[in-house]
Amino acid sequence: MSASSGTRTRPSASRHLALGVLATSMLMTVLDGSIVTVAMPAIQSDLGFTPVGLSWVVNAYLIAFGSLLLLAGRLGDLIGRKRMFLLGTGLFTAASLLAGVAASPEVLIAARFLQGVGSAMSAAVGLGILVTLFAEPRERAKAIAVFSFTGAAGASLGQVLGGVLTDALAWNWIFFINLPIGVAALLLALPALPADRGLGLKAGADVLGALLVTSGLMTGIYAVVTIEEYGAGSAHTLGFGALAVALLAGFLLRQAKAATPLMPLRILRSRSVSGANLVQMLMVAALFSFQILVALYLQKVRGYGAAETGLAMLPAAVVIGVVSLGVSARLIARFGERNILLTGLLLLVGVLGLLTRLPVDADYATDLLPVMLLAAAFGLALPALTSLAMSGAEEKDAGLASGLFNTTQQIGMALGVAVLSTLAASRTESLTAAGRPTAEALTGGYHLAFAVGTALVLAALAVAFTVLRPTAGATPDTTSGTTPDATSDTTPDTTSDTTPETPDSEKTPRMTMAA
């Protein structure tokens, strides 16, 4: 993909400042998600949450975030991605203040819901802004690597920071820490992010479609996150699940017929877009068993504290960062996104496969550290997967593609939490009933979850191999930075579209569909 004149004339320093702003926003969002889990016991004790009510500190955020990403991404295309990013970051920062001063469960849950709304608004358009700033394949691969590393680092840092802040100060500070980060992101975003007018609401003002997709995703995520409370086969879960499927089916039918669809179905015709999103959903669901269940194993079986657990998992974040920032972009340029993705998924099968044999009395150096180091595979897989997901969308749909990619990530995470934790708990209960010691029963439950996670990664590998097929006759190009899976088209686009005319300094290259 060749850069447009607008991208070429934008100073490199300005583009890298914009990347820093986007990465900071991603860090704040991911940090908030992981830091809260560590402080849950302190929040319950201080505010008087019931055990069921406490889960809504997490669920309220997940439901708002996951259900609004797709809508927020499309609205970013229509009203301007910079405007959507600023509004979302501002709302998230204000909601963090409200969460920090909350004196009752109701206020904290409401603040968490608003945090989810703000996160959805900013996260949905982040990748869309990034791919229009970095048009050349080699530069884009490096930028996506930075973006991906920030997410992985935020998850690990959150576990350490959450324990330290809660122990040293109070749980309120896990929210107050967002204030300086949010204000700094807003101040830097104003001059750093490129201005864009958007397509205009008339290009996709499908109110009925917006209601259908938002209510469908919200209902579906609600059904998933309450599985542990009601049971997978309960009337509650099956009823809300069926309603979600019906609403989402109605949304797709509406998009096929609407004159100005909220989500033009052309985006799903791209193999790279649809295939990459399916692979991500399976991969993220599986990796829940690594990120969360390993932490639970360390705390409940091995007796680690919150801060110790975060430090124990820190090597995984370090190797992911080294691979993401120092290796993945060069490997993608040399071998192509698809080949690097397949390699990363194969290594992840090994990571989860090793965990299925984790002993009750595991030694960290011999049993866990090798697994942490092999987690570098995530640093290979995610940047390649992100590149594939964004390369198949047209520039005018970049926000939508970004929102879709983030949505499938959240759906995968919710499914991983619900399915794998339920399976682990059920297996633990059966082993306990059979007279096994508590530590052995817990480990047996985690073994089942790790095995199912391994199967999910194998399914992701199969989808990547069959759906994300390389372009016929393409070969890696080590000189220009293009890849065998690149979907760019350097032929001038002479077709017209409905995109409003913008000054040359704001024009961005079109990303062609990879059918």
Side-chain angles (χ1 to χ4, degrees), residues 67-68 208-221 243-244 247-248:
S67 62
L68 292 172
L208 177 58
L211 290 173
L212 285 170
V213 70
T214 303
S215 58
L217 288 171
M218 193 170 289
T219 303
I221 294 173
L243 178 59
L247 289 168
L248 293 174

Side-chain angles (χ1 to χ4, degrees), residues 89-442:
T89 303
L91 177 58
F92 179 85
T93 305
S96 296
L97 176 60
L98 178 61
V101 300
S104 68
E106 294 79 13
V107 173
L108 181 57
I109 290 173
R112 290 288 290 161
F113 186 88
L114 290 175
Q115 278 189 308
V117 175
S119 290
M121 294 169 68
S122 57
V125 296
L127 279 173
I129 297 173
L130 185 149
V131 298
T132 58
L133 279 172
F134 297 90
E136 295 297 336
R138 192 181 297 273
E139 283 192 334
R140 179 178 295 177
K142 291 179 180 179
I144 287 177
V146 171
F147 198 73
S148 301
F149 162 70
T150 304
S156 297
L157 180 61
Q159 292 175 324
V160 179
L161 196 57
V164 171
L165 289 175
T166 303
D167 291 343
L169 298 172
W171 65 263
N172 313 72
W173 285 90
I174 68 172
F175 298 112
F176 289 149
I177 195 174
N178 292 328
L179 301 183
I181 301 175
V183 170
L186 282 171
L187 293 176
L188 292 173
L190 286 170
L193 298 186
D196 60 313
R197 293 182 299 177
L199 302 173
L201 288 175
K202 291 183 179 180
D206 180 14
V207 177
L208 177 58
L211 290 173
L212 285 170
V213 70
T214 303
S215 58
L217 288 171
M218 193 170 289
T219 303
I221 294 173
Y222 170 74
V224 169
V225 299
T226 55
I227 283 178
E228 193 169 0
E229 179 181 351
Y230 292 96
S234 67
H236 177 277
T237 300
L238 296 177
F240 277 101
L243 178 59
V245 170
L247 289 168
L248 293 174
F251 168 70
L252 292 176
L253 289 174
R254 169 68 181 174
Q255 299 314 287
K257 297 179 180 179
T260 55
L262 181 73
M263 186 183 82
L265 295 183
R266 63 175 179 267
I267 194 171
L268 298 179
R269 298 190 192 107
S270 165
R271 280 184 174 272
S272 59
V273 171
S274 56
N277 276 279
L278 180 55
V279 169
Q280 177 181 229
M281 190 183 302
L282 293 166
M283 184 179 76
V284 170
L287 289 179
F288 161 78
S289 63
F290 173 80
Q291 183 178 348
I292 304 299
L293 295 185
V294 170
L296 289 175
Y297 166 84
L298 289 171
Q299 293 183 33
K300 293 187 175 183
V301 177
R302 300 299 298 142
Y304 284 36
E308 287 178 298
T309 299
L311 290 172
M313 299 190 71
L314 195 57
V318 172
V319 295
I320 289 171
V322 170
V323 172
S324 295
L325 298 178
V327 179
S328 65
R330 289 197 293 270
L331 291 178
I332 288 172
R334 176 66 178 87
F335 298 105
E337 292 100 332
R338 178 179 181 268
N339 292 329
I340 298 305
L341 173 61
L342 292 174
T343 302
L345 290 173
L346 276 172
L347 290 173
L348 288 174
V349 170
V351 170
L352 296 180
L354 285 174
L355 288 173
T356 62
R357 305 178 62 184
L358 195 64
V360 175
D361 56 348
D363 177 73
Y364 182 81
T366 58
D367 295 315
L368 283 166
L369 185 57
V371 175
M372 299 296 170
L373 298 178
L374 276 176
F378 191 68
L380 290 176
L382 187 58
L385 190 60
T386 306
S387 296
L388 286 166
M390 295 302 297
S391 67
E394 297 182 28
E395 189 276 332
K396 61 185 177 183
D397 295 329
L400 175 61
S402 175
L404 179 62
F405 191 70
N406 281 284
T407 299
T408 56
Q409 184 179 85
Q410 293 305 307
I411 292 174
M413 187 182 301
L415 287 172
V417 170
V419 175
L420 297 181
S421 61
T422 300
L423 288 173
S426 177
R427 176 63 174 163
T428 298
E429 288 177 5
S430 65
L431 291 174
T432 301
R436 300 287 184 87
T438 300
E440 186 178 335
L442 285 168

